[in-house]
Amino acid sequence: MGKLSGHIFISGIKHSGKTTFARLLAEKYKRPFIDSDDLVLEIIKPYSVREYYQKYGKGHFMAMEEDAIKGFLNNNNGMFFLSLGGGACDNKGLMDLVKENGKLIYLVRDEKDMLEVILKHGRPAFLDPEDLEGSFHKLYIERDEKYRSYADLTIDMGPYRDRIETLEMLVKRLEAEAL
């Protein structure tokens, strides 16, 4: 197994596999796994992420998200895998912080596959109920462009029907890039 070092941030659009594969990579490399939502939840208790976002708005949530990760970085050294929220690319301050402190991996999945997975979990508030496909397409295009511009490595996940096979592909790509 090749040598990885430093902080590795896993990004992608909602339900792209960020948390699943960041956790699996952390297990494989015997490093800590962190989910940015958990860091945020520690600060915004007793609210859920959704409740906080709805009550205080996008700007406050993004500031809280950046502060949570900044606090974590100030208190942690060594290599870890941290999965970011699906909308992290909209938070320039957070993305600058990530880029200054580690490597950013962008996990890409097919747009139609993504929408199907998202809708299995119920319609999220960020999609227009009158035009689910159209509103998701617009969001997907915007976020895909942003994530690609920030990413140190972009990985097309394909359908990843088999997690172990997909994990092996991710490991090969990470090691080939010497992150």
Side-chain angles (χ1 to χ4, degrees):
M1 190 160 41
K3 185 176 180 183
L4 298 181
S5 62
H7 309 321
I8 298 184
F9 298 89
I10 308 291
S11 66
I13 298 169
K14 184 177 181 71
H15 291 295
S16 62
K18 302 176 300 290
T19 301
T20 298
F21 289 103
R23 183 178 285 118
L24 290 170
L25 287 165
E27 288 173 12
K28 179 150 187 82
Y29 288 99
K30 297 175 179 24
R31 301 294 184 191
F33 160 75
I34 303 93
D35 186 324
S36 65
D37 284 348
D38 292 338
L39 297 175
V40 170
L41 287 170
E42 285 296 315
I43 295 173
I44 65 173
K45 286 179 189 174
Y47 297 107
S48 70
V49 169
R50 181 174 286 193
E51 290 168 337
Y52 188 88
Y53 189 96
Q54 289 173 338
K55 182 169 181 150
Y56 296 104
K58 184 177 182 175
H60 281 272
F61 177 79
M62 290 191 323
M64 190 61 58
E65 183 180 39
E66 185 178 340
D67 287 347
I69 293 174
K70 188 180 294 182
F72 176 80
L73 288 169
N74 287 337
N75 294 307
N76 290 276
N77 295 318
M79 184 184 163
F80 59 76
F81 290 87
L82 190 150
S83 67
L84 297 168
C89 64
D90 292 334
N91 188 340
K92 183 174 178 348
L94 173 60
M95 297 310 289
D96 290 344
L97 180 68
V98 164
K99 294 294 290 176
E100 291 167 10
N101 286 280
K103 298 293 183 182
L104 181 67
I105 311 304
Y106 171 42
L107 304 182
V108 180
R109 287 193 62 199
D110 177 75
E111 181 180 342
K112 287 185 178 19
D113 289 345
M114 295 287 303
L115 181 59
E116 184 179 310
V117 172
I118 289 169
L119 293 178
K120 281 182 185 175
H121 294 87
R123 185 189 58 79
F126 61 81
L127 293 183
D128 178 352
E130 302 298 318
D131 185 15
L132 294 172
E133 285 186 28
S135 61
F136 182 69
H137 176 71
K138 182 179 181 212
L139 178 77
Y140 183 92
I141 296 300
E142 289 171 0
R143 287 189 175 170
D144 180 67
E145 182 179 324
K146 288 178 185 177
Y147 276 126
R148 286 178 189 277
S149 73
Y150 287 116
D152 293 297
L153 177 62
T154 298
I155 299 177
D156 184 346
M157 298 294 286
Y160 76 75
R161 307 254 183 261
D162 182 293
R163 286 184 180 176
I164 301 306
E165 202 174 278
T166 303
L167 176 62
E168 289 171 3
M169 179 271 299
L170 284 172
V171 168
K172 284 179 188 172
R173 286 292 310 275
L174 290 175
E175 291 180 1
E177 297 293 328
L179 296 177

